[in-house]
Every structure is written in C-alpha cells, then in structure tokens.
Amino acid sequence: MSDILKTLHGNRLAAPFARALGLPKPVTLARAAGGYEAQPFSGQAALLLPAGGGYAAQALRSALEDAGASVASALPEDERQQAGIVVMDATGCRSPADYRALYDSFHPIMRRIARNGRVLIAAPLPEAGGDPVQAAVARGIEGFSRSLGKELGRKGICVNTAYVAAGAEDRLAGVVRFFCGKQSTYVSGQAVRVTARVAAPRALPQAQAMAGKTALVTGGARGIGKAIVERLSQEGARVICLDVAATAEELRSTCAQFGAIPLTLDITAPDAPVQLADFLRGQGGGLDILVHNAGVTRDRTLSNMKPQDWDVVVNINFAAITAIDAALLSGGLLRDEGRIVYLSSISGVAGNFGQTNYAATKAALIGYAAAQAPLLAARGICANAIAPGFIETAMTAKLPFFTREIGSRLNALMQAGQPRDAAELVAFLSSPGAYGVSGETIRVCGQGVMGA
Ligand code: NAD
C-alpha cells in the first residue's frame, strides 16, 4: 500500500502544498534485505563511555566489532561526519548526578546521528539492587531513551534501552546485533531486559543462525506470518507453515516460495494439538522454534458484541495457543534451547476501542510469556511476546481510510510498519543469540503513541 504523505511530498506539484499545510514528511525507512550474514554493520559506531565507568563496555565493544563495525569512543573531529550506530554504556549510572552523563554524551552529537541510525543505551537492571535510588536512576534511563526516540524518530532513527543484569553482559552480542542493525527498523522506544535466567546454548553459530532447526509458524500463509516464514527460512530453518483450509492457495504459494512445509489445520479444532503432535512425530521429531502468529479480530464495542465474536477471538488468539503449548511441552516436542514467540499486540499493552475481546487475549499472551519463561529457563528455552503496532496486512487493510491513516501515523516514525518489520523481531527472538531475553514483550510499533 502506498504512503499518501510520502507520495504527496515526493510529487513536484503537490510538495509545496504539502509543506504549506505542514503535513508531516515521513522518512523512507531502510530495511534489511537478506539474513544477518548479508547485512554486516558498516562504518563508524560510537561507543560512549561515561567517566564513571560501567560493566558492559567490553561486551558492547566486542559485539559491535564482531558484527563488523569500527568502534571509536567519540565521533570524529570533523563535524560533517556522522555515526550510524551510537551505543552508550550507562550501566555505571547509580545516582541522580550520574544523569549528567546522558546529557553530556548525547547533547553534542544529536545532529550527527545518521538518518536511519540506531541508538542503544545499556542500563543497569532496575530491580537488581536493593537501593531504591539506584533502582529509580536505572529506570529513568528508559524515560530518557524513549524521549530521545521521539526526537530522533523523524530521521528514522530507532532508540532502545537494554537493561543488563550484572553477570549477563556476555549475552549482549545478539541484542546488539538486532537493536543496532537494519533489522530493528520499526522497533523504537523499547526497553529489553537481558539476564542470565536461561541456560546458555551449547554453541552459538555465527552464520545461518537457524541451520538445523525446525520451526512452526501458525497462520503462516499470509501477512506477518508469511514474512516470518520467509525470515526463518533465510536464516536456515526448516519451516512448517500452518494455516486453515480456506487459505489453501496462499498456503501453497507461500510454501513454494520459501521452501516451507505446508500444514492445513484449524488451531481451534478440538483435536488440533493431537493432530499437530502426530504431524511433528511423522516429520521426524520436535520443534526448535514455535511462533504463535495466527490471530483474528472481531471488532465491536462491548455493548454490540455478539457472543460468537467474543468466543472466536478468545479461542483462536488464546485458548488454542495454551492447548498447543501444553500438548507440545508434555509430549516432549519442543526441544531444549527452543524458542517460543507469541504475537501479542499494542492493543494488549494499551487496550483499544472496540477491541475488548482482542485486547484481553493479546494482554493474556504478554502475561503468558512472562509466566512461561521461568518454567522453561532450565531447559534453555526462551518464551517472549512481540506486540506489533500498525502493520500493513489484510487485517489492517479492512479498516476505513481515516482510521487507517490515524492508526498508522501516531508513532515516532509517522508511518505504518511492514510485515517484515515484525518478522525481523520474531527472527531475533527465535535465534540462539537471544538467550539473554526471556519473558519479555517487545513492541514493534515505530514507538507508537498508544500505550507508550
Ligand atoms: P492476517 O489476518 O493477515 O493473518 C492471520 C493468519 O492467521 C491468516 O493466514 C489466517 O488464515 C490465520 N488463522 C486465522 N485463524 C486461524 C486458525 N483458527 N487456525 C490457523 N490459522 C488461522 O493477520 P496479520 O495482520 O498478519 O496478523 C498476524 C498476527 O499479528 C495476529 O496474531 C495479529 O493479531 C497480530 N497483530 C497484527 C497487527 C497488524 O497491524 N497487522 C497488529 C498487532 C498484532
């Protein structure tokens, strides 16, 4: 779908009127084309190290260098030179006075961060220490980072925070790779916790991160699910793409395009968990990656909502997911070091008009990921949710024009996301390198206003 504001600003005759009317001009976002290996970091990365020190500097430097960046602790003297990646080690911030380091680090370089650049701030884990002031100082870094994201969003720059538990610094590599790479195009204003809660994988492959892994994507025939099938395939996974019979043609074409294995199944069928378990056994074993993407909306205000619209949403978006997880986990069909990703929504974070049914299920998945994570940690399994904002798919194409325009503009990047943007976040959380992240919900919403 074309972006009407970009079209107007890009048209020689219409552009002066668009400017005179003060219409916002969304930046064209850079997106990754291939997998991680096809997109090494290039050019200069600035690693900002405040005088007080911190415990993540070395891990951040190694992560950036391993991904291909040349790292300097300051921007070059030449004012015209910009940095595409800026990372700050703020893990040494412990008192209100330490906040001055945030100002001193970023104020001089605000105009020198490149269009479509990335900023990542490593902060101490707020709940780590017993000292309330230290906890508050850590939490405040998120406020700084989110506000920075709103200022820099107009240049397509994404700003995120990584709360790093002391002792979990070695888990930053995958986090830096995602949040400082092109893959995080539509992820901004987020704070992710990096901890040592999950057992480390036996090996961390550099290339083809998912080679030898088997993944299942529900609702994979089209939309975000299709983009996930593509991304996981690009990273080398063998992907099973599940969808309902009504999507037969799309399912066939998606599987043909990405070499995926089709599975026609309605996840709400009473015997779906058994059918799925049997199918997986027939395929020679279990799964390494499970992406619960299938989901539907039946929007109505609660007073106008029919009971069947309530039930269908609860069954597809929530009940079926818990039933499938129970069957796969009890049947030993999710392997050690596995990854589960649940597709929540910003409606689950913030609630939304006319979506009591949908928001209940999507909020439930946020709670479910958080509750599953500690139960699976000893086996090296991570469970996380992603919460997309406005992503252009068949689901959002159904909305009336003005609702769509407003929904897609109310974010720091002033535009809708693409299915690929959500798929990139799923691919990161499905990768072996995401072993520091579990129980989290990360939004992919261009730093949407809703629930921010
Ligand atoms: P979509 O409607 O384009 O695709 C959903 C897929 O799920 C379809 O292929 C559909 O056939 C499948 N599906 C539906 N019911 C199923 C069932 N019972 N069994 C198996 N498959 C079933 O939707 P999308 O926009 O790609 O959304 C994908 C996920 O992302 C959903 O969970 C949705 O709630 C979530 N999400 C989307 C957006 C957005 O802006 N598009 C925003 C937030 C969250």
Side-chain angles (χ1 to χ4, degrees):
M1 211 173 293
S2 71
D3 183 316
I4 189 167
L5 290 181
K6 284 185 196 164
T7 309
L8 287 174
H9 280 287
N11 180 293
R12 200 167 47 83
L13 296 175
F17 294 103
R19 279 197 298 275
L21 287 170
L23 293 180
K25 187 179 178 186
V27 69
T28 297
L29 299 177
R31 291 188 162 86
Y36 280 109
E37 293 313 307
Q39 306 277 326
F41 294 172
S42 57
Q44 192 74 58
L47 176 59
L48 310 176
L49 304 170
Y55 51 83
Q58 191 45 50
L60 292 168
R61 179 179 294 279
S62 307
L64 288 165
E65 286 174 350
D66 290 351
S70 72
V71 183
S73 52
L75 264 65
E77 298 251 309
D78 181 351
E79 287 281 325
R80 288 164 306 182
Q81 286 204 36
Q82 298 195 316
I85 298 173
V86 177
V87 175
M88 179 182 182
D89 179 15
T91 55
C93 276
R94 301 165 76 83
S95 74
D98 294 335
Y99 272 180
R100 186 56 194 266
L102 297 171
Y103 177 87
D104 290 342
S105 300
F106 282 96
H107 172 74
I109 63 166
M110 284 299 281
R111 293 190 179 85
R112 299 186 60 194
I113 306 173
R115 200 169 261 254
N116 278 303
R118 299 287 182 263
V119 175
L120 181 67
I121 304 179
L125 197 65
E127 53 272 22
D131 180 344
V133 174
Q134 278 181 30
V137 167
R139 179 63 178 76
I141 293 170
E142 188 179 327
F144 172 82
S145 164
R146 285 174 183 256
S147 301
L148 203 61
K150 292 195 173 179
E151 288 187 24
L152 294 173
R154 65 190 66 182
K155 285 172 73 184
I157 298 165
C158 297
V159 183
N160 294 288
T161 308
Y163 286 124
V164 193
E169 305 89 302
D170 59 325
R171 291 157 188 249
L172 276 168
V175 173
V176 168
R177 192 73 182 80
F178 176 72
F179 284 101
C180 295
K182 278 201 183 136
Q183 289 77 10
S184 54
T185 301
Y186 205 58
V187 182
S188 193
Q190 300 308 293
V192 64
R193 283 169 166 71
V194 182
T195 69
R197 123 194 283 183
V198 174
R202 283 156 292 183
L204 277 175
Q206 292 300 309
Q208 289 276 295
M210 296 172 204
K213 308 270 182 201
T214 301
L216 172 74
V217 181
T218 68
R222 66 168 195 228
I224 294 173
K226 178 178 175 179
I228 297 169
V229 171
E230 177 181 10
R231 275 302 285 121
L232 300 186
S233 304
Q234 271 177 344
E235 295 297 335
R238 173 173 164 266
V239 184
I240 299 163
C241 177
L242 177 157
D243 217 305
V244 289
T247 63
E249 187 43 41
E250 289 165 298
L251 181 61
R252 192 201 56 71
S253 131
T254 298
C255 289
Q257 207 176 336
F258 305 117
I261 301 159
L263 172 58
T264 303
L265 188 66
D266 180 337
I267 56 167
T268 60
D271 64 345
V274 174
Q275 277 200 56
L276 178 56
D278 288 347
F279 178 86
L280 293 174
R281 287 194 191 96
Q283 286 286 316
L287 292 173
D288 303 286
I289 298 162
L290 172 54
V291 183
H292 285 291
N293 165 77
V296 294
T297 50
R298 294 288 184 274
D299 297 354
R300 284 276 182 283
T301 55
L302 189 57
S303 49
N304 290 327
M305 193 175 293
K306 306 227 166 18
Q308 57 269 33
D309 286 339
W310 180 271
D311 290 341
V312 81
V313 169
V314 171
N315 288 338
I316 295 175
N317 294 5
F318 183 35
I321 292 171
T322 59
I324 286 173
D325 278 4
L328 298 189
L329 288 167
S330 67
L333 289 164
L334 185 66
R335 297 194 185 107
D336 288 355
E337 301 180 8
R339 302 283 181 262
I340 313 179
V341 184
Y342 304 98
L343 269 281
S344 176
S345 162
I346 50 166
S347 295
V349 176
N352 197 17
F353 183 87
Q355 291 198 318
T356 48
N357 50 356
Y358 184 75
T361 61
K362 295 300 184 180
L365 294 182
I366 294 172
Y368 189 47
Q372 285 278 50
L375 304 180
L376 301 171
R379 292 184 54 205
I381 298 173
C382 300
N384 292 288
I386 76 159
F390 192 101
I391 307 288
E392 281 186 355
T393 66
M395 187 180 266
T396 46
K398 285 188 295 198
L399 297 169
F401 175 77
F402 281 111
T403 313
R404 227 174 42 231
E405 264 305 294
I406 292 166
S408 62
R409 301 290 172 201
L410 290 178
N411 57 70
L413 303 174
M414 297 182 289
Q415 58 195 291
Q418 298 301 316
R420 170 123 195 160
D421 302 333
E424 293 287 7
L425 181 53
V426 171
F428 160 58
L429 292 170
S430 303
S431 68
Y435 67 111
V437 182
S438 194
E440 298 287 287
T441 295
I442 305 176
R443 294 166 49 161
V444 45
C445 62
Q447 197 173 9
V449 170
M450 204 164 117

